[in-house]
């Protein structure tokens, strides 16, 4: 069982539903389902507490089908949660390097900000006094972290995602957009 927690953000719920639908369609069977039920998570309880809770719960459940009246296990299922994170893939990273002798670092940063901001569903944020961007595309979510390397006068953009295809997709989009912005900016400067 996979538990996915999300805020009250309707867009986030829709992205999760879309991912489930896409994988259900890909598999072509019912190996991925969203149960229509109430999920209860019990933490830090003793076995006695859990038994008392289940007894109380079982006495309050109305069973429509009289044939299964004694078989409450068809309605209440108990799973043990495995907190092992081994199933979550590692973060994938791509780094893009931009520098141009004819453009100042300020102009490169403006090109980058404009290029990244034009990607759909982009959120610019700040963490620990560092700017980063969260991008939500049809391929998935990625985080973009800009860094100015003053020693080499290079603007470095690191694209992080848990999916390699998403990482490559976003990096390609940024690279293409940045190249056109840099050329356009150089033309304006030369005029």
């Amino acid at each position: 069982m996979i538990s996915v927690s999300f805020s009250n953000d309707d867009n986030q719920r829709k992205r999760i539903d879309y991912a489930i639908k896409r994988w259900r369609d890909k598999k072509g069977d019912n190996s991925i389902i969203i149960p229509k039920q109430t999920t209860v998570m019990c933490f830090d309880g003793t076995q006695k507490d859990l038994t008392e809770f289940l007894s109380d719960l079982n006495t309050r459940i109305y069973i429509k089908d009289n044939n299964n009246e004694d078989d409450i296990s068809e309605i209440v299922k108990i799973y043990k949660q495995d907190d092992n994170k081994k199933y979550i893939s590692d973060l994938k990273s791509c780094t893009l390097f931009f520098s141009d002798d004819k453009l100042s670092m300020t102009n490169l940063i403006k090109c980058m900000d404009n290029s990244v901001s034009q990607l759909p569903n982009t959120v610019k944020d700040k963490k620990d006094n560092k700017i980063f961007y969260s991008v939500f595309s049809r391929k998935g979510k990625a985080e973009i972290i800009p860094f100015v390397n003053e020693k080499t006068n290079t603007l470095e953009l690191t694209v992080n995602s848990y999916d390699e295809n998403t990482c490559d997709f976003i990096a390609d989009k940024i690279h293409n957009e940045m190249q056109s912005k840099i050329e356009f900016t150089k033309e304006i400067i030369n005029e």
Side-chain angles (χ1 to χ4, degrees), residues 16-18 20-21 24 30 32-37:
I16 292 167
D17 287 348
Y18 176 67
I20 292 168
K21 180 188 179 319
R24 192 183 292 155
N30 288 329
I32 297 175
I33 60 169
I34 301 174
K36 296 184 185 325
Q37 64 191 24

Side-chain angles (χ1 to χ4, degrees), residues 49-64:
D49 292 339
L50 183 60
T51 303
E52 288 176 9
F53 170 71
L54 288 172
S55 294
D56 185 37
L57 181 66
N58 290 343
T59 60
R60 298 172 195 293
I61 294 176
Y62 171 74
I63 302 173
K64 289 182 185 177

Side-chain angles (χ1 to χ4, degrees), residues 128-143:
D128 300 330
N129 286 332
K130 294 180 182 176
I131 292 174
F132 71 95
Y133 301 84
S134 294
V135 179
F136 300 91
S137 76
R138 58 187 161 89
K139 297 280 186 181
K141 178 186 175 200
E143 184 178 82

Side-chain angles (χ1 to χ4, degrees), residues 2 16 19 26 46 48-49 51 53 60 65 72 93 98 112 118 120 124 139 143 147 168 173:
I2 299 171
I16 292 167
K26 183 178 180 179
T46 64
K48 182 180 180 220
D49 292 339
T51 303
F53 170 71
R60 298 172 195 293
D65 185 6
I72 197 77
S93 292
F98 296 98
M112 178 270 308
Q118 287 192 351
K124 185 176 181 179
K139 297 280 186 181
E143 184 178 82
F147 172 73
D168 292 342
K173 285 268 209 198

